[in-house]
């Protein structure tokens, strides 16, 4: 295993400017490969132990559901299983009565599928109506399994392939000029006036439709002074790259989406690609854009694309086409997603997924009339699969026939999309189908530079909007001890700001009282030097006693019960509204750990729909860009960790609330020598300078499961 080391001991100082492209590539490539090799070695060491885990089979595939996988409840509570939990195995929500078990979606070889299905425990299923079977593991048919992990090359391949393209000159002269600018941030060779392509950006009167013009004017007039300055700078964008950094609640996402919306409101088509490396943020962005379309009267449609069906990665390199469709698209298997979307259509006003959008196109009269041959072919294949005759005998052949007929439909859906929100890794597969005029890369403050430049290698838009906040988050990278590892934690946005290439800072906080790094328009990158400013007078620390057990799961029953009790009390209170005094207030539950997030999600999903829709549960890393009226921040553990005391991560946690926040913090964590910043929070609240401390005693009957028992009211 590669040795661990701190930056100060093992890593070289990150460069803010690169003398040439070769230095940039060497640093990022070598550090990325070292990180992957370290991860692969840890996985191999785990596999070599051949550990056995106790498991129960609770769902298994059936003939009528060919795509369903096995779901196993596996006991991963032992310390030895920490590697398994870290590797982000495909999991589903925990069942409340099996606290020490994790449900895993398992794909087994066909030869083992029938054998595994013989151990199925239908009475233990998540939809079981027998509560007694869910509260005890008695009567379960237990099996013992081995989990063999495999190091995924998806991310490393996605990051290193653009590097190879840039070295080979695939980006072209224009792409190389942009890249050279990003290396040194020196005088650009050209500036882009986006208003020439979309003149309505400068003069809203050019929007022909009256109601749309009025709606756009209302949006632009709602910009604050910083947002207006950034909007006016669209007439001179260096190399077409516009950096928009800003503080929490400054409206960075709103600015980017609104600007793109105005560009789409004119006569000339404008396609927008929205990139963010968090799937939950992809959902949120697509939904927000769809809401803007609905509000302003634009007939455009946003699509959220969370994945791309696995195909041979070698096809990615090929530009060959068949009938005008790229080979990588021809080989894609959209069948599973289409069948699920067709049986469960979109409900409500949310933006559709790619599969839901394809289904809606398929069912539209325009497609049925214009593409009657394709429509009838798909209809015929669907009929063969849905009818019982021949379903069991020729299912595989029928599904393959359906797959081939669906490709032109999906190609048509993507080509004609106006707005696609997805991750950078998925976006690379649509590079030959969807040609955006504007690329918005949001939350790029915590995106690695190799991820950021994917958009340079794969797309040629008129303008790039790089939006984010490097003062709150940073790119994640394993501390491998490699000399260039620190460079992986440096984002393009942070380098741009340090070199004066990000003049359009959004610093007006529309959410709360303000955060230290942004008061007085400071550009300090020392996020928590003024930690007290992150805490409003409405901040409260719920203090609990430290446990004698230092090693415990990443979930606190005491904290959980207190938080869920307050959440339900707030949601019942009719006086709990947003700042407008009319709309019902919203709640966010924030934790550093996925295990705690899963437990909260499990109980939140049991609330009635009216209450459930007002609650958001997030890990810290997935909370960037999110906000709520009241935030419950559960630090979970009772001893200090460097993970929870990370200053940028804490800054994210303390700037999500619009009105008030409750921080669940153990006294043991506050006194830990590891937690310097957490201790500052405690002292500021203890002195009354910012917030207050409320001591919480563990309930006599420590059973947080009962706290959620009445959640279906």
């Amino acid at each position: 295993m590669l040795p661990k080391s701190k930056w100060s001991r093992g890593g070289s100082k990150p460069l803010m400017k690169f003398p040439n492209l070769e230095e940039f590539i060497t640093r990022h490539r070598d550090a990325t490969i070292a990180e992957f090799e370290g991860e692969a070695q840890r996985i191999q060491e785990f596999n070599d132990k051949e550990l056995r885990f106790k498991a129960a089979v609770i769902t298994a595939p059936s003939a009528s559901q060919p795509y369903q996988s096995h779901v196993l409840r596996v006991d991963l509570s032992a310390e030895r299983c920490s590697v398994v939990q870290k590797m982000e195995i495909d999991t589903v929500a925990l069942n409340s009565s099996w606290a020490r078990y994790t449900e895993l979606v398992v794909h087994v070889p066909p030869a083992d599928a029938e054998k595994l299905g013989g151990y199925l425990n239908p009475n233990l299923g998540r939809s079981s109506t027998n509560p007694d079977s869910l509260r005890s593991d008695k009567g379960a048919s237990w099996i013992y399994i081995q989990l063999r992990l495999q190091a995924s090359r998806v991310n490393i391949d996605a990051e290193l392939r653009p590097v190879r393209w840039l070295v080979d000159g695939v980006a072209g002269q224009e792409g190389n000029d942009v890249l050279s600018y990003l290396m040194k941030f020196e005088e650009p060779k050209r500036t882009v006036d986006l208003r020439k392509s979309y003149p309505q950006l400068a003069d809203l009167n050019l929007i022909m439709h009256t109601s749309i013009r009025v709606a756009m004017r209302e949006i632009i007039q709602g910009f604050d002074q910083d947002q207006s300055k950034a909007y006016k700078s669209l007439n001179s964008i260096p190399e077409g790259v516009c950096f928009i950094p800003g503080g929490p609640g400054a409206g960075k996402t709103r600015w980017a989406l609104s600007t793109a919306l105005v560009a789409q409101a004119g006569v000339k088509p404008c396609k927008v690609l929205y990139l963010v490396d968090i799937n939950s943020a992809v959902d949120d962005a697509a939904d927000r854009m769809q809401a803007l379309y609905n509000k302003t009267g634009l007939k455009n449609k946003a699509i959220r694309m969370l994945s791309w069906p696995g195909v041979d990665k070698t096809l990615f390199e090929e530009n060959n086409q068949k009938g005008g469709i790229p080979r990588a698209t021809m080989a894609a298997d959209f069948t599973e997603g289409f069948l699920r979307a067709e049986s469960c259509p979109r409900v409500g006003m949310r933006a559709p997924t790619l599969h839901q959008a394809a289904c809606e196109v398929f069912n539209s009269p325009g497609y049925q009339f214009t593409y009657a041959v394709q429509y009838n072919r798909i209809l015929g294949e669907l009929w063969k699969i849905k009818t019982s005759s021949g379903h069991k005998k020729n299912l595989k052949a029928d599904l393959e026939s359906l797959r081939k007929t669906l490709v032109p439909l999906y190609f048509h859906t993507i080509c004609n999309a106006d707005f696609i929100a997805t991750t950078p890794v998925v976006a690379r597969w649509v590079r030959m189908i969807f040609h955006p005029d504007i690329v918005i890369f949001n939350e790029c403050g915590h995106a690695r530079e190799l991820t950021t430049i994917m958009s340079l290698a794969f797309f040629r838009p008129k303008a790039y909007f790089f939006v984010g906040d490097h003062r709150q988050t940073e790119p994640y990278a394993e501390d491998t001890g490699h000399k260039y590892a620190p460079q992986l934690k440096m984002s393009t946005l942070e380098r741009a700001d340090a070199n004066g290439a990000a003049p359009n800072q959004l610093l007006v906080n529309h959410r709360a009282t303000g955060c230290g790094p942004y008061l007085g328009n400071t550009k300090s990158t020392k996020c928590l030097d003024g930690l007290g400013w992150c805490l409003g007078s409405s901040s409260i620390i719920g203090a609990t006693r430290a446990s004698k057990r230092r090693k415990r799961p990443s979930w606190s029953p005491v904290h959980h019960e207190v938080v869920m009790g307050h959440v339900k009390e707030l949601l019942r209170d009719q006086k709990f509204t947003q700042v407008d005094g009319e709309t019902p207030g919203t709640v966010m539950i924030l934790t550093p750990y996925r295990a705690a997030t899963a437990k909260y999600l499990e109980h939140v999903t049991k609330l009635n729909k009216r209450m459930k829709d007002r609650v958001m549960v997030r890990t810290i890393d997935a909370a960037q860009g999110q906000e709520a009226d009241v935030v419950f921040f559960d630090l979970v553990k009772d001893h200090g960790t460097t993970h929870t005391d990370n200053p940028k991560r804490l800054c994210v946690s303390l700037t999500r609330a619009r009105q008030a926040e409750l921080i669940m913090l153990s006294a043991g964590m506050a006194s830990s020598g590891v937690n310097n910043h957490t201790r500052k929070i405690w002292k500021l609240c203890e002195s009354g300078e910012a917030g207050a401390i409320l001591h919480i005693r563990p309930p006599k009957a420590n059973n947080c499961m009962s706290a959620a028992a009445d959640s279906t009211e």
Side-chain angles (χ1 to χ4, degrees):
M1 185 182 301
L2 293 172
K4 296 280 185 179
S5 69
K6 298 296 183 182
W7 288 13
S8 58
R9 288 179 289 174
S12 62
K13 185 178 179 180
L15 291 181
M16 304 305 287
K17 288 185 178 181
F18 292 92
N20 48 55
L21 178 59
E22 289 71 23
E23 181 68 21
F24 175 87
I25 291 174
T26 297
R27 283 177 169 250
H28 287 89
R29 179 189 58 207
D30 292 358
T32 301
I33 291 174
E35 184 180 50
F36 175 79
E37 290 174 347
E39 179 181 276
Q41 188 168 344
R42 288 192 297 274
I43 290 175
Q44 186 58 49
E45 290 173 354
F46 172 84
N47 290 339
D48 289 344
K49 293 178 182 179
E50 298 184 348
L51 299 175
R52 302 174 72 212
F53 302 96
K54 184 179 180 181
V57 184
I58 61 173
T59 67
S62 63
S64 60
Q65 296 175 306
Y67 286 106
Q68 186 183 13
S69 303
H70 289 82
V71 177
L72 275 61
R73 281 190 182 146
V74 186
D75 186 357
L76 296 178
S77 59
E79 285 290 322
R80 66 186 184 185
C81 305
S82 59
V83 176
V84 181
Q85 295 172 328
K86 183 177 180 181
M87 296 315 300
E88 301 183 21
I89 293 178
D90 191 8
T91 62
V92 292
L94 284 165
N95 185 283
S96 60
S97 53
W98 294 62
R100 71 178 187 273
Y101 294 93
T102 301
E103 293 183 0
L104 304 183
V105 177
V106 179
H107 305 277
V108 299
D112 298 330
E114 185 175 349
K115 180 179 178 181
L116 196 60
Y119 292 93
L120 179 65
N121 292 270
N123 62 313
L124 301 179
R126 286 162 290 168
S127 60
S128 173
T129 56
N130 182 3
D132 294 332
S133 68
L134 297 176
R135 292 192 170 91
S136 171
D137 58 10
K138 294 180 180 179
S141 299
W142 294 108
I143 59 175
Y144 288 88
I145 64 171
Q146 283 188 5
L147 294 177
R148 294 192 60 81
L149 306 181
Q150 183 176 0
S152 172
R153 293 196 59 92
V154 172
N155 287 335
I156 186 174
D157 288 343
E159 289 187 341
L160 295 184
R161 185 171 285 111
V163 170
R164 188 165 67 251
W165 279 32
L166 294 170
V167 171
D168 295 341
V170 178
Q173 185 58 49
E174 188 175 300
N176 290 336
D177 290 344
V178 175
L179 192 61
S180 297
Y181 174 69
L182 295 181
M183 294 298 100
K184 302 178 182 180
F185 294 106
E186 295 177 347
E187 191 69 24
K189 293 184 178 181
R190 68 185 179 109
T191 58
V192 173
D193 186 353
L194 199 60
R195 301 179 308 177
K196 288 185 177 179
S197 299
Y198 307 104
Q200 69 273 16
L201 288 169
D203 186 1
L204 294 176
N205 291 321
L206 295 176
I207 300 176
M208 303 302 295
H209 199 288
T210 303
S211 62
I212 295 177
R213 182 173 64 251
V214 171
M216 296 300 166
R217 180 170 287 114
E218 181 180 344
I219 289 175
I220 300 304
Q221 289 177 347
F223 282 171
D224 61 45
Q225 57 184 9
D226 289 344
Q227 293 169 335
S228 296
K229 179 185 174 184
Y231 185 77
K232 292 175 182 177
S233 71
L234 296 175
N235 66 334
S236 181
I237 306 175
E239 295 295 351
V241 178
C242 181
F243 290 102
I244 307 292
K252 301 181 294 296
T253 303
R254 174 176 176 265
W255 181 91
L257 294 180
S258 298
T259 301
L261 186 75
V262 176
Q264 291 183 324
V267 177
K268 187 177 180 179
C270 177
K271 294 181 179 293
V272 178
L273 177 65
Y274 184 100
L275 303 177
V276 61
D277 57 357
I278 303 172
N279 274 328
S280 59
V282 171
D283 284 338
D284 295 333
D287 290 343
R288 288 178 67 171
M289 197 62 173
Q290 188 62 54
L292 284 173
Y293 289 151
N294 297 337
K295 179 180 179 180
T296 58
L298 284 180
K299 300 302 181 182
N300 298 7
K301 181 176 290 185
I303 295 177
R304 49 193 174 103
M305 189 183 299
L306 301 182
S307 62
W308 186 262
V311 297
D312 186 349
K313 64 182 181 181
T314 60
L315 294 176
F316 177 81
E317 303 285 354
E318 298 188 14
N319 294 327
N320 296 337
Q321 299 186 1
K322 183 177 180 180
I325 301 178
R327 286 192 61 200
T329 307
M330 290 295 296
D333 188 355
F334 301 106
T335 313
E336 176 182 359
F338 184 82
L339 289 174
R340 288 179 175 174
E342 202 253 346
S343 61
C344 185
R346 179 169 62 120
V347 178
M349 303 301 290
R350 294 194 65 187
T353 64
L354 173 61
H355 302 298
Q356 290 170 337
C359 278
E360 291 174 8
V361 169
F362 174 71
N363 291 315
S364 65
Y367 183 83
Q368 295 173 13
F369 177 78
T370 307
Y371 301 93
V373 175
Q374 292 181 12
Y375 174 77
N376 289 325
R377 284 177 181 172
I378 296 173
L379 206 62
E381 297 298 337
L382 286 174
W383 181 84
K384 286 196 296 183
I385 290 176
K386 290 180 179 181
T387 55
S388 57
S389 59
H391 180 70
K392 296 181 180 179
K393 295 180 180 178
N394 304 312
L395 177 60
K396 188 174 181 179
D398 291 342
L399 289 173
E400 175 60 19
S401 297
L402 177 61
R403 185 196 70 78
K404 292 180 179 179
T405 59
L406 286 176
V407 168
L409 170 64
Y410 276 76
F411 179 78
H412 173 85
T413 302
I414 296 172
C415 281
N416 290 279
D418 300 295
F419 180 96
I420 291 180
T422 187
T423 64
V425 173
V426 176
R428 61 197 178 114
W429 291 103
V430 300
R431 63 185 176 87
M432 295 186 64
I433 311 174
F434 188 71
H435 305 288
D437 300 291
I438 296 176
V439 171
I440 301 172
F441 199 127
N442 204 358
E443 308 302 350
C444 65
H446 66 73
R448 296 194 188 192
E449 290 218 62
L450 291 183
T451 303
T452 304
I453 66 170
M454 282 186 195
S455 56
L456 304 180
F458 301 147
F459 301 100
R460 296 289 175 273
K462 294 179 175 65
Y464 302 89
F465 295 163
F466 291 121
V467 184
D469 188 357
H470 57 279
R471 299 181 180 96
Q472 291 190 75
T473 54
E474 63 186 9
Y476 174 78
E478 287 283 349
D479 189 7
T480 61
H482 189 275
K483 64 179 180 178
Y484 293 144
Q487 193 71 58
L488 296 182
K489 293 193 176 185
M490 179 65 63
S491 68
T492 306
L493 184 64
E494 184 168 357
R495 287 200 306 109
D497 186 35
N499 288 286
N504 298 308
Q505 304 260 351
L506 305 187
L507 298 170
V508 179
N509 192 332
H510 297 274
R511 181 183 298 143
T513 57
C515 180
Y518 314 98
L519 290 185
N521 291 353
T522 177
K523 293 184 179 179
S524 169
T525 58
K526 295 181 179 179
C527 195
L528 291 185
D529 277 1
L531 185 61
W533 292 326
C534 293
L535 300 172
S537 58
S538 56
S539 302
I540 297 176
I541 289 182
T544 56
R545 294 180 180 178
S547 170
K548 294 182 179 180
R549 290 183 58 196
R550 290 187 61 80
K551 293 182 179 180
R552 59 187 299 177
S554 300
W555 168 67
S556 169
V558 174
H559 291 189
H560 187 107
E561 184 167 3
V562 171
V563 169
M564 288 306 301
H566 282 297
V567 167
K568 289 188 289 183
E569 184 179 356
L570 270 174
L571 296 176
R572 293 191 192 104
D573 188 353
Q574 295 184 355
K575 295 181 180 180
F576 173 45
T577 63
Q578 297 185 22
V579 290
D580 60 10
E582 299 178 0
T583 311
T586 59
V587 174
M588 179 188 296
I589 302 174
L590 200 57
T591 78
Y593 307 107
R594 288 192 181 92
T597 302
K599 296 297 289 185
Y600 279 117
L601 276 172
E602 174 193 332
H603 289 155
V604 167
T605 54
K606 294 179 181 178
L607 299 171
N608 63 47
K609 188 178 187 305
R610 179 175 52 85
M611 298 170 72
K612 179 171 57 179
D613 290 347
R614 296 163 58 193
V615 184
M616 182 188 309
V617 182
R618 289 280 193 271
T619 60
I620 298 174
D621 295 331
Q624 184 72 37
Q626 305 299 316
E627 62 182 17
D629 293 287
V630 176
V631 173
F632 293 90
F633 178 31
D634 182 3
L635 280 160
V636 178
K637 295 195 175 183
D638 54 16
H639 59 281
T641 65
T642 54
H643 174 76
T644 54
D645 202 51
N646 180 287
K648 292 189 175 183
R649 187 172 281 113
L650 276 176
C651 192
V652 174
S653 309
L654 299 173
T655 54
R656 302 302 98 198
R658 287 193 290 257
Q659 298 186 50
E661 60 192 342
L662 175 66
I663 307 166
M664 297 301 300
L665 177 62
S666 167
M669 177 172 283
S671 61
S672 170
V674 177
N675 288 31
N676 295 323
H677 298 301
T678 311
R679 188 160 59 249
K680 289 181 184 178
I681 298 175
W682 180 280
K683 289 182 178 179
L684 286 164
C685 287
E686 188 176 42
S687 66
E689 183 178 347
I693 292 181
L694 176 65
H695 290 278
I696 298 172
R697 294 182 179 180
K700 293 181 180 180
N702 182 20
N703 182 8
C704 73
M705 305 308 169
S706 62
D710 62 340
S711 57
T712 55
E713 60 188 25

